[in-house]
């Protein structure tokens, strides 16, 4: 791929979530210093990824390795039609870039290993996989399931720990390193994400803006703000408030008016929280053990700032839901300046009459050193514990992910995004910024740490201390259960 920053994302993914503490001026100096030290101790420092050489010419398998035509069966639980694609196989080349890339990728792996890759597309894959495990058969070599379901398979002992697959090296650049970092517990990984699966692009929380509206209202150029490090919550507030208009003149905000922003509760708040250096997840200590720390003023300040932004009259359209993709139609119709949704939904904007562009989420303030983004909950690779030959499975997974680097990855990124959806040269570098700073949520106590918190922020509530005091025991119980399951199942 030609873009250096993108290659760094694809092959290193070492940019990680970092945060800085903004204490109020009246706070005693020693308390401010302690708060900063706490945040710094909990979070790794962002490092610049190094450029990696081009893809090796040979797959990561022993010389002469031959599987004798073995049929490798993937149970694909992804049937979501809003994604760019849910398919992991292709019957033939059709001239469509992503389809042809998948076809070439699989053919490369099949030729290298003398194997046939087949897929069964079926919703509810976890239930089918666990029935198979309970019956003691090895009907499936690999199960692709969304992150929450993958976590349940790990808790239930249905998945094989990657520790037990000797032919897989998760340090290879075709494994999405930030997802492995965030999904592991006690250094055990039961589900993983590699370049084989395009949903780790689709689920990224993205922010889009109406370029024509920006010009019509003579607003600052957000691309320039991003590049200058000045793209913040306050800037977004000012721009969104400037376009808010009671179009029908009835004196109240309704679905015929113009707003600054639209999304739906979980998606929108996840974008904001991670963008400002926060998180909606348990943390992990130096031993990779989960612990709870969201009940801290550092996070409260950020939750409250987002809640205040979304409570401004005319800034947020209250009509976005998961069912209407966060108010997609309002954005297409030119009724909102900003729109955030999972990146996979951006293909719905191909026929939008007005021009739009991509942006990273806004910083908390200009002192925040980096832009941060949320990777969402993509479909993960689970190896059933009843898989007949883990070594064989490992070599196949390595080869499929390796072969994706020069086939599926450039097709999805360069052609599908930069070619079919984005309409300007500036959006490409914005996507690079987004993809270079992804974090993924732990599924431990996800309901308490993510779903319910985003509902509070979206509805303008700010009493997070009381909320976490009430559910603290539930969160700790979930942590204890996850640690026990991960260690016992390993």
């Amino acid at each position: 791929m030609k873009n250096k920053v993108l290659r760094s994302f694809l092959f290193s993914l070492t940019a990680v979530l970092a945060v800085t503490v903004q204490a109020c001026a009246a706070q005693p100096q020693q308390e401010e210093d302690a708060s900063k030290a706490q945040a710094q101790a909990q979070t790794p420092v962002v490092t610049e990824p190094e450029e990696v050489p081009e893809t090796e010419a040979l797959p990561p398998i022993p010389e002469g390795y031959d599987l004798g035509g073995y049929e490798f069966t993937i149970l694909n639980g992804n049937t979501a039609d809003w994604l760019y694609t849910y398919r992991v196989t292709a019957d033939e080349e059709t001239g469509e870039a992503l389809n042809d890339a998948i076809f070439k990728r699989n053919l490369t792996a099949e030729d290298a290993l003398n194997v046939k890759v087949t897929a069964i597309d079926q919703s509810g894959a976890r239930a089918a996989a666990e029935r198979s495990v309970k019956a003691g058969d090895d009907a499936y070599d690999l199960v692709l399931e969304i992150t929450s379901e993958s976590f349940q398979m790990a808790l239930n002992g249905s998945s094989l720990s990657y520790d037990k697959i000797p032919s897989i090296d998760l340090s290879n650049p075709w494994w999405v390193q930030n997802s492995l970092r965030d999904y592991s517990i006690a250094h055990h990984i039961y589900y993983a994400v590699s370049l084989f699966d395009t949903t780790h692009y689709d689920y990224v929380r993205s922010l889009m803006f109406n370029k024509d509206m920006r010009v019509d209202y003579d607003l600052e150029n957000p691309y320039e703000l991003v590049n200058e490090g000045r793209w913040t919550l306050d800037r977004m507030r000012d721009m969104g408030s400037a376009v808010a208009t009671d179009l029908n003149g009835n004196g109240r905000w309704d679905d015929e008016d113009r707003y600054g922003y639209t999304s739906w509760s979980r998606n929108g708040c996840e974008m904001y929280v991670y963008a400002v250096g926060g998180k909606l997840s348990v943390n992990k200590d130096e031993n990779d053990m989960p612990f709870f720390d969201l009940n801290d003023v550092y996070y409260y300040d950020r939750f409250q700032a987002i809640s205040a932004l979304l409570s401004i009259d005319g800034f947020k359209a209250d009509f976005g839901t998961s069912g209407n993709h966060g108010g997609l139609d309002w954005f297409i119709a030119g009724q909102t300046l900003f729109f955030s949704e999972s990146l996979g939904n951006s293909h719905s904007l191909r026929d939008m009459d007005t021009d739009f562009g991509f942006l990273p989420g806004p910083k908390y303030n200009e002192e925040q050193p980096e832009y941060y983004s949320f990777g969402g909950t993509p479909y993960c690779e689970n190896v059933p514990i009843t898989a007949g030959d883990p070594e064989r499975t490992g070599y196949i997974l390595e080869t499929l992910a390796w072969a994706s680097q020069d086939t599926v990855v450039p097709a999805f990124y360069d052609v599908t995004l930069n070619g079919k959806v984005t309409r300007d040269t500036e959006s490409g570098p914005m996507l690079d910024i987004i993809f270079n700073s992804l974090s993924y949520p732990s599924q431990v106590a996800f309901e308490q740490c993510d779903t319910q918190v985003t509902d509070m922020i979206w509805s303008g509530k700010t009493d997070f201390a009381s909320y976490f005091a009430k559910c603290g025991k539930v969160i700790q119980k979930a942590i204890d259960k996850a640690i026990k399951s991960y260690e016992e199942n390993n």
Side-chain angles (χ1 to χ4, degrees):
M1 303 187 63
K2 296 180 180 179
N3 189 294
K4 182 183 294 185
V5 180
L6 173 61
R7 291 198 63 84
S8 297
F9 159 70
L10 296 174
F11 296 107
S12 298
L13 281 169
T14 56
V16 293
L17 185 64
V19 293
T20 57
V21 174
Q22 305 300 319
C24 59
Q27 192 177 28
Q29 184 63 44
Q30 62 268 28
E31 183 178 343
E32 179 180 357
D33 292 343
S35 182
K36 289 182 179 180
Q38 179 186 33
Q40 291 169 356
Q42 291 170 353
T43 313
V45 177
V46 172
T47 57
E48 286 296 327
E50 296 182 1
E51 190 173 3
V52 178
E54 297 292 325
T55 307
E56 294 292 331
L58 297 174
I61 56 176
E63 185 176 357
Y65 190 73
D66 190 316
L67 292 177
Y70 177 75
E71 184 172 355
F72 184 78
T73 303
I74 301 171
L75 179 60
N76 179 21
N78 180 8
T79 59
D81 59 5
W82 62 267
L83 302 174
Y84 274 96
T85 182
Y86 62 81
R87 299 294 303 275
V88 294
T89 59
D91 296 330
E92 60 182 0
E93 292 183 280
T94 63
E96 198 283 319
L98 196 53
N99 174 86
D100 291 357
I102 291 171
F103 179 83
K104 292 175 182 177
R105 183 268 312 279
N106 289 4
L107 184 61
T108 296
E110 290 172 342
D111 288 346
L113 298 167
N114 191 12
V115 66
K116 177 63 177 176
V117 178
T118 62
I120 300 171
D121 301 327
Q122 177 180 323
S123 61
R126 177 169 75 90
E130 291 186 336
R131 286 195 298 269
S132 175
V133 168
K134 187 175 182 179
D137 64 40
D138 60 348
Y140 313 112
D141 296 286
L142 182 70
V143 179
L144 296 179
E145 256 297 9
I146 201 165
T147 316
S148 58
E149 295 292 275
S150 296
F151 177 62
Q152 290 302 316
M153 288 183 66
L155 292 184
N156 296 341
S158 300
S159 296
L160 184 67
S161 170
Y162 276 65
D163 305 353
K164 307 297 184 183
I165 308 176
S167 50
I168 282 184
D169 181 357
L170 292 177
S171 69
N172 280 325
W174 42 85
W175 294 96
V176 180
Q177 296 301 314
N178 282 13
S179 70
L180 304 179
R181 175 203 69 200
D182 295 337
Y183 292 155
S184 66
I185 294 178
H187 303 295
H188 300 311
I189 295 174
Y190 285 89
Y191 51 95
V193 177
S194 77
L195 301 184
F196 167 72
D197 180 24
T198 60
T199 68
H200 78 280
Y201 290 105
D202 287 316
Y203 273 82
V204 171
R205 304 302 189 245
S206 60
L207 176 64
M208 289 149 274
F209 75 102
N210 184 314
K211 297 179 66 177
D212 292 357
M213 193 183 300
R214 197 279 298 180
V215 173
D216 291 343
Y217 281 81
D218 194 27
L219 303 175
E220 292 184 270
N221 186 335
Y223 292 141
E224 294 178 1
L225 292 174
V226 171
N227 292 330
E228 295 169 1
R230 298 188 297 116
W231 176 233
T232 63
L233 285 177
D234 286 347
R235 297 285 181 176
M236 187 173 181
R237 176 202 63 206
D238 293 344
M239 295 174 70
S241 297
V243 306
T245 307
D246 180 10
L247 292 177
N248 58 14
N250 65 1
R252 64 176 185 272
W253 294 105
D254 56 34
D255 61 3
E256 295 180 355
D257 294 329
R258 178 173 294 142
Y259 297 84
Y261 170 78
T262 187
S263 184
W264 61 282
S265 59
R266 187 188 302 175
N267 192 301
C269 289
E270 287 170 342
M271 183 276 294
Y272 279 118
V273 169
Y274 282 83
V276 299
K279 60 185 176 64
L280 294 160
S281 173
V282 298
N283 211 332
K284 290 194 293 183
D285 62 20
E286 66 276 7
N287 297 314
D288 202 41
M289 304 297 278
F291 69 93
F292 174 67
D293 71 336
L294 290 181
N295 55 344
D296 182 89
V297 66
Y298 174 86
Y299 298 111
Y300 292 167
D301 287 347
R302 281 149 181 78
F303 296 162
Q304 290 167 356
I306 298 165
S307 180
L309 172 67
L310 297 176
S311 298
I312 296 172
D313 284 347
F315 181 84
K316 180 192 72 177
D318 272 327
F319 315 110
T321 67
S322 59
N324 64 22
H325 302 299
L328 173 71
D329 289 344
W330 277 271
F331 184 66
I332 292 176
Q335 287 182 252
T336 67
L337 175 62
F338 297 110
F339 169 57
S340 64
E341 241 293 359
S342 297
L343 189 59
N345 259 318
S346 64
H347 66 80
S348 300
L349 303 175
R350 289 174 178 172
D351 298 327
M352 183 172 170
D353 290 335
T354 55
D355 287 339
F356 68 93
F358 286 95
L359 298 168
K363 295 180 179 181
Y364 184 60
N365 54 33
E366 290 188 28
E367 284 68 46
Q368 182 174 312
E370 304 286 343
Y371 294 100
Y372 308 122
S373 301
F374 182 67
T377 53
Y379 281 77
C380 303
E381 297 165 46
N382 307 267
V383 179
I385 199 166
T386 51
D389 188 340
E391 181 180 64
R392 175 183 63 206
T393 297
Y395 282 129
I396 295 172
L397 293 184
E398 287 273 23
T399 305
L400 285 169
W402 166 84
S404 296
Q405 295 175 98
D406 291 330
T407 53
V408 175
V409 169
F412 188 93
Y413 189 94
D414 288 336
V415 178
T416 305
L417 292 184
N418 285 336
K420 291 186 177 181
V421 177
T422 57
R423 305 175 184 182
D424 57 24
T425 57
E426 295 95 340
S427 281
M430 298 297 110
L431 292 172
D432 293 336
I433 292 172
I434 293 169
F435 290 143
N436 267 313
S437 60
L438 295 177
S439 289
Y440 299 83
S442 169
Q443 293 299 299
V444 178
F446 185 88
E447 175 71 18
Q448 291 75 30
C449 294
D450 185 298
T451 305
Q452 294 187 32
V453 176
T454 54
D455 285 345
M456 289 180 65
I457 295 172
W458 194 256
S459 60
K461 296 179 181 177
T462 58
D463 194 1
F464 300 101
S466 295
Y467 166 73
F468 285 125
K470 292 177 182 178
C471 64
K473 291 183 179 179
V474 175
I475 294 173
Q476 187 57 51
K477 185 177 180 179
I479 291 173
D480 295 340
K481 178 181 178 180
I483 292 174
K484 181 179 180 182
S485 296
Y486 267 59
E487 292 184 335
E488 287 183 350
N489 294 338
N490 197 63

